[in-house]
Amino acid sequence: MKLQGMYDDEPVKEGPSINIGSKSEVTNPDKSIYKEIDYGFSVNDSIIYVHGDIVLGLLFDFVSKVRTILDNRDESQKDAPITVLINSDGGDVYEALGIIDYIKSLPVKVNMVARGRAMSAAALMLACTTGTRAASKMTSIMVHEISTANQGKASDIRANADHLFELEELTFQLLAQYSKQDIEFWRKQARKDFYMTADKAKEYGLIDAVI
């Protein structure tokens, strides 16, 4: 199941990249995302990059990288947040929801920072986190309805459509929960591709800061 714009008959694209950086001079993890950061790892700051399409396999890669960060921390680092840098057009909503669920289960907060673009499922990940949500000034953010290219028997298509509407309602509930807008606002805006600047996303309560 994919968010609108990601179709099954599109050419196969290169999968997402998730990497742990190697260098940073950040000393205050709670304020680091408000700066131009030297992306990477330091004693007080852990960063994961998410760029490319959100596809099957991203969830477990994400879990693996988070476990690597947490398992290699000493006592002084154990409560420091993790920062995720996003530059993605979106993709598989199941993977995005799985990551959101996993983040909620973690003993530390997870900050999300968008640079470039956070669209579709990536916008959902950006908004629905436990730490601070931020985007660089020129970032484009977009939400829209879920779509699918499922085919088959009429009964299967009906069942898939019912599930699609339930899944879509869940995404609207999450957007309402994590923003300053009610669910009707997101239902209305998502009927088409709804693009926002970083400033507009902050105004709507989808992010906390423009950096």
Side-chain angles (χ1 to χ4, degrees):
M1 193 72 66
K2 301 177 181 180
L3 290 182
Q4 187 178 18
M6 310 297 294
Y7 297 104
D8 290 341
D9 56 354
E10 289 181 341
V12 175
K13 299 179 180 179
E14 184 177 350
S17 297
I18 303 184
N19 301 299
I20 298 177
S22 59
K23 180 176 76 168
S24 177
E25 298 301 326
V26 176
T27 58
N28 189 336
D30 295 322
K31 295 183 179 179
S32 65
I33 65 169
Y34 295 106
K35 304 177 182 178
E36 288 297 319
I37 350 180
D38 187 9
Y39 305 132
F41 235 153
S42 79
V43 170
N44 296 310
D45 188 87
S46 304
I47 295 179
I48 298 175
Y49 304 118
V50 176
H51 58 93
D53 294 341
I54 297 173
V55 297
L56 183 63
L58 178 64
L59 170 58
F60 286 162
D61 283 346
F62 186 88
V63 170
S64 175
K65 292 299 184 290
V66 170
R67 294 312 316 168
T68 299
I69 290 171
L70 296 181
D71 290 346
N72 284 279
R73 284 182 165 179
D74 59 30
E75 188 65 21
S76 67
Q77 296 174 300
K78 66 182 182 65
D79 296 323
I82 292 170
T83 296
V84 178
L85 299 180
I86 301 177
N87 181 23
S88 173
D89 289 317
D92 192 319
V93 68
Y94 295 117
E95 295 292 295
L97 290 172
I99 289 171
I100 291 168
D101 264 344
Y102 179 64
I103 286 172
K104 290 179 181 179
S105 75
L106 292 172
V108 299
K109 290 185 177 181
V110 176
N111 302 322
M112 290 278 180
V113 181
R115 289 185 177 275
R117 59 198 180 278
M119 301 185 180
S120 191
L124 195 64
M125 285 174 52
L126 173 65
C128 303
T129 193
T130 55
T132 303
R133 307 159 306 167
S136 58
K137 185 72 173 179
M138 298 296 183
T139 296
S140 294
I141 299 166
M142 185 269 285
V143 299
H144 55 189
E145 294 178 332
I146 294 175
S147 69
T148 183
N150 285 335
Q151 299 177 349
K153 298 181 297 182
S155 58
D156 290 338
I157 293 173
R158 186 180 298 110
N160 287 328
D162 289 342
H163 175 61
L164 187 71
F165 285 123
E166 291 174 357
L167 200 59
E168 184 172 80
E169 189 66 9
L170 174 60
T171 64
F172 293 152
Q173 289 171 1
L174 286 169
L175 290 172
Q177 177 184 345
Y178 284 90
S179 73
K180 298 175 182 176
Q181 309 301 318
D182 62 24
I183 195 169
E184 288 301 327
F185 174 87
W186 295 111
R187 285 182 184 137
K188 178 180 179 181
Q189 299 301 333
R191 290 172 186 164
K192 61 184 184 303
D193 289 351
F194 180 49
Y195 288 91
M196 293 164 277
T197 62
D199 287 323
K200 272 295 182 184
K202 182 182 177 184
E203 179 183 326
Y204 294 138
L206 214 58
I207 61 174
D208 305 305
V210 179
I211 57 175

